[in-house]
Structure formats: structure tokens, C-alpha cells
């Protein structure tokens, strides 16, 4: 018997841009032979955190939080403007794709879920994939005109009788900015500061109760977020300088998956004195049909990816997954283990096994 999962209803959508114009617009080069086959227009990193505010039985807290997010996220984006950039085709003689930090904005979605938070968790137990997808919003990047598609979405979902969730969906082309920087921490700090300074006044961008029953039924999320895999984290020791060759050697056991290498361009060509103006990170995408060199690197610190947005309200749990998984995906970042040892960190997401 199929599990019945209620649908979240979208009450409002806003765009959030950095509060200051980005002066030096970083450009991130995307190296891929077949972008459609590599699913770069669909693949996402999804992070959801659930909250319950003490004393909130009316369900008002989530709507207030969404109003403060409009302000706090705009401030946080000034330090990571690539998150509100766009994927575009290169101009001139060069072919290919690149992400440019052009301040086009992220999408903030406000939604209602027709059940309480405990009831929702019961749905998650019965059908995790179909239930959790109702707490995030994602539209696949347009393959023809990618420059018009957001790369980052935030959905605030309000549950009946109190409780809310914040769901983040972002393109895996910029996933390192969530996993390898302190962006989420700084955003949460700004959010907390705003909430404390406005304990009496409602946020400027607060959605009033009379507007919450008018739903945008024409907005539908892409089905790619349902094709999911639970991510695992591997760390492997590597050479002192984080070159692309060293990073590739960490991929000895991922033969069935597509691989994304987040390569520091400082170690590519010009070295530390490179004056390239096209950004500090390049994304190399290798499909499972391509050969990647092997190595003997020892893996350690293996575990489930555990990332959450630490707002000050009591957390009721969190979850992470990679969308549009297909045969699997690995994304690899340069990372720092302690103060002196360089490592590569790889996030491995493989298809869930179907059992009967």
C-alpha cells in the first residue's frame, strides 16, 4: 500500500540579493565534456533543518523567521556572492560554461505543510524521499538559457501547531561554498542578531496572515530532487600542495560514479603568484566512462555528511542528500586537516538500494 504524503503549499516567493553590489565579480570555470550527460543542470546538494520554538503553538514563528531571512541572507551573501550568481555560456572564442557572481539573487520560498511536525516525521519514517522533498524547492537549470536559472533556493516550511523547517537546495557546482566555508555559520549569526534586535517589531518582509491562504499552485519543483542518494564523507591524506593530480589519486573506489573535482586554480599553471581574475576555484567534471588515475591514499574519518543551519531555535533534527543521483556522484574538495596536514575531502553519494 502506497504511503500518503501531503504536499506543501507555496504561499510566497522572493528574490534575495546581496545588500551591497559585488565589485569584483568572480568567475568559476566549469570543465565538462557533456554537461547534459553529467547532469550538471539537475544535480543538487540539499540540506534541511527542523526547528521548534518554545511557546509557539500558533505556527507564527516560521513566518517571522522567513522575514528575517530576507535581511540576514542578503547580508551573508556579500561574503559569498557566487551563491547568488548564474551559470552561463562563455562568450568569445572559448566554448564551455562558467558560473559568474553577478548578484542575480537566490530564491526564498515560503510554504505551508498541512500537518504538524510530529505527523510529518511519521511520514518521513514511512517514505523518507517523498516526504522530505516537500521541504525543499528546486527548479532544474535551463539547458538552453542557463543564465536565467537560480543556483540556490531556500524554502521555509511552516507546520501546523508550530514548528518549521529551513530547506536549502543548491547546484553542486557551488556546493563547496556550503561545505568548505563558514557561510552557514555566519548566516546563522546574522539571523540571530536580527531576531534579537527586533523582538517587538515584525520583519519588513513579513508575509501577513491574510496572504498565506493564496497559494502559487503553478510553481512546481523539479522531479530530480526525488532521485536521491545519502552522502558519505571520506578524507584522504595527500601531498603538501593541493594539485589536481593529487586530488584525482583519492578516487580509487568510485568507478561507477561521475566525479566533480573542485580545483584551486592557484595550483593550476600560475601557482601561488597567479594573477588570474577568473576566480580561485575551477570545477572539473569527469563522467564514469572517463579514466581517472588511481592511488594508494589512506582514507580516514568516514561518516555520514552532517550539515545543518544552526539557528537559535531548538533543532528537531536535520538531513542531507544529493539530488539527481543517477549512477552516483563524487565531489572532491581541497580541505585542511589540523594546521599542517593537507587532505582531500570527498563526498560520495550512491543510489539507494531498492529492497522488496
Amino acid at each position: 500500500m502506497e504511503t500518503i504524503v501531503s504536499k506543501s503549499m507555496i504561499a510566497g516567493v522572493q528574490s534575495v540579493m546581496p545588500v551591497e553590489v559585488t565589485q569584483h565579480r568572480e568567475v568559476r570555470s566549469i570543465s565538462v565534456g557533456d554537461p547534459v550527460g553529467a547532469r550538471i543542470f539537475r544535480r543538487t546538494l540539499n540540506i534541511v533543518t527542523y526547528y521548534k520554538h518554545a511557546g509557539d503553538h500558533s505556527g507564527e514563528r516560521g513566518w517571522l523567521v522567513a522575514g528575517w531571512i530576507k535581511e540576514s541572507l542578503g547580508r551573508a551573501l556579500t561574503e559569498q556572492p557566487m551563491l547568488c550568481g548564474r551559470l552561463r555560456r562563455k562568450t568569445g572564442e572559448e566554448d564551455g560554461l562558467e558560473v559568474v557572481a553577478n548578484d542575480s539573487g537566490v530564491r526564498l520560498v515560503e510554504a505551508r505543510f498541512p500537518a504538524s511536525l510530529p505527523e510529518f516525521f511519521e511520514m518521513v519514517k514511512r517514505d523518507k524521499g517523498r516526504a522530505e522533498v516537500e521541504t525543499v524547492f528546486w527548479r532544474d537549470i535551463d539547458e538552453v538559457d542557463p543564465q536565467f536559472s537560480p543556483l540556490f533556493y531556500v524554502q521555509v516550511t511552516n507546520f501546523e501547531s508550530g514548528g518549521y523547517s529551513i530547506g536549502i537546495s543548491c547546484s553542486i557546482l557551488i556546493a563547496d561554498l556550503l561545505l568548505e566555508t563558514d557561510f552557514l555559520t555566519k548566516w546563522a549569526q546574522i539571523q540571530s542578531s536580527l531576531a534579537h534586535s527586533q523582538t517587538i517589531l515584525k520583519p519588513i518582509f513579513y508575509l501577513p496572515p491574510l496572504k498565506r491562504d493564496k497559494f502559487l499552485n503553478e510553481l512546481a519543483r523539479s522531479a530530480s530532487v526525488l532521485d536521491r542518494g545519502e552522502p558519505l564523507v571520506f578524507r584522504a591524506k595527500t601531498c603538501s600542495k593541493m594539485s589536481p593530480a593529487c586530488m584525482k589519486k583519492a578516487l580509487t573506489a568510485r568507478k561507477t560514479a561521475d566525479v566533480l573535482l573542485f580545483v584551486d586554480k592557484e595550483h593550476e599553471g600560475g601557482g601561488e603568484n597567479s594573477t588570474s581574475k577568473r576566480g580561485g576555484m575551477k570545477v572539473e567534471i569527469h563522467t564514469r566512462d572517463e579514466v581517472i588515475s588511481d592511488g594508494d591514499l589512506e582514507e580516514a574519518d568516514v561518516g555520514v555528511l552532517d550539515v545543518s543551519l544552526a539557528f537559535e531555535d531548538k533543532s528537531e533534527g536535520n538531513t542531507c542528500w544529493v539530488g539527481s543521483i543517477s549512477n552516483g556522484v563524487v565531489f572532491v574538495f581541497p580541505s585542511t586537516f589540523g594546521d599542517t596536514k593537507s587532505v582531500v575531502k570527498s563526498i560520495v553519494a550512491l543510489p539507494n538500494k531498492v529492497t522488496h
Side-chain angles (χ1 to χ4, degrees), residues 45-335:
L45 173 67
N46 304 276
I47 302 169
V48 183
T49 311
Y50 303 94
Y51 303 91
K52 181 71 174 180
H53 181 68
D56 177 31
H57 302 294
S58 64
E60 188 71 9
R61 179 67 175 178
W63 302 103
L64 293 171
V65 167
W68 288 317
I69 283 179
K70 171 78 173 182
E71 298 180 61
S72 66
L73 184 55
R75 297 185 189 184
L77 287 170
T78 60
E79 294 194 20
Q80 293 294 348
M82 187 67 73
L83 291 170
C84 54
R86 292 293 184 268
L87 181 67
R88 70 182 184 186
R89 301 191 184 280
K90 293 179 180 179
T91 57
E93 298 181 359
E94 258 189 301
D95 291 329
L97 295 162
E98 60 189 12
V99 179
V100 58
N102 59 4
D103 292 353
S104 291
V106 308
R107 292 288 187 268
L108 173 60
V109 178
E110 296 181 72
R112 290 179 58 187
F113 192 82
S116 67
L117 189 55
E119 290 170 338
F120 172 79
F121 285 149
E122 288 299 316
M123 297 178 194
V124 171
K125 291 178 182 178
R126 296 193 296 268
D127 195 330
K128 184 179 177 73
R130 288 177 56 222
E132 289 184 340
V133 77
E134 295 299 323
T135 61
V136 297
F137 190 89
W138 171 258
R139 294 293 293 269
D140 291 342
I141 300 170
D142 190 285
E143 297 175 7
V144 178
D145 295 308
Q147 69 273 18
F148 300 118
S149 299
L151 305 179
F152 189 95
Y153 290 83
V154 177
Q155 176 174 314
V156 181
T157 306
N158 296 272
F159 297 92
E160 293 182 352
S161 303
Y164 64 96
S165 66
I166 299 178
I168 296 171
S169 290
C170 81
S171 166
I172 57 170
L173 299 176
I174 54 173
D176 60 307
L177 300 178
L178 299 185
L179 300 176
E180 287 300 307
T181 73
D182 59 356
F183 172 78
L184 293 179
T185 299
K186 289 189 175 180
W187 176 18
Q189 291 172 347
I190 297 170
Q191 177 81 1
S192 177
S193 175
L194 284 174
H196 281 295
S197 65
Q198 302 183 38
T199 53
I200 299 177
L201 299 176
K202 289 183 172 63
I204 297 174
F205 302 99
Y206 170 74
L207 189 66
L210 293 177
K211 299 283 188 179
R212 298 174 193 167
D213 293 326
K214 299 177 181 180
F215 303 116
L216 305 175
N217 297 320
E218 68 275 12
L219 286 180
R221 61 180 54 83
S222 297
S224 55
V225 289
L226 279 166
D227 177 22
R228 60 184 280 162
E230 310 302 325
L232 297 175
V233 181
F234 296 82
R235 284 187 175 89
K237 296 178 183 179
T238 185
C239 53
S240 58
K241 286 198 173 183
M242 198 64 59
S243 69
C246 290
M247 297 175 71
K248 292 177 184 179
K249 290 180 181 179
L251 307 173
T252 58
R254 325 286 182 234
K255 297 303 183 184
T256 63
D258 297 332
V259 177
L260 283 82
L261 301 179
F262 290 78
V263 180
D264 189 345
K265 291 180 73 175
E266 183 177 79
H267 298 293
E268 187 183 70
E272 296 184 2
N273 297 320
S274 174
T275 58
S276 172
K277 297 181 180 180
R278 302 192 66 79
M281 193 69 71
K282 172 183 178 181
V283 183
E284 294 183 3
I285 301 170
H286 303 264
T287 64
R288 59 187 176 275
D289 299 321
E290 295 176 314
V291 177
I292 298 178
S293 57
D294 290 337
D296 301 320
L297 301 184
E298 178 183 355
E299 290 180 345
D301 298 334
V302 181
V304 176
L305 180 65
D306 185 14
V307 182
S308 63
L309 184 60
F311 281 11
E312 64 179 1
D313 287 340
K314 180 185 176 183
S315 173
E316 297 291 327
N318 63 285
T319 184
C320 306
W321 75 92
V322 175
S324 191
I325 201 68
S326 187
N327 290 323
V329 63
V330 179
F331 33 113
V332 185
F333 317 100
S335 186

Side-chain angles (χ1 to χ4, degrees), residues 35-46:
V36 176
R39 294 175 172 251
I40 69 167
F41 300 111
R42 298 183 175 188
R43 279 184 168 146
T44 54
L45 173 67
N46 304 276

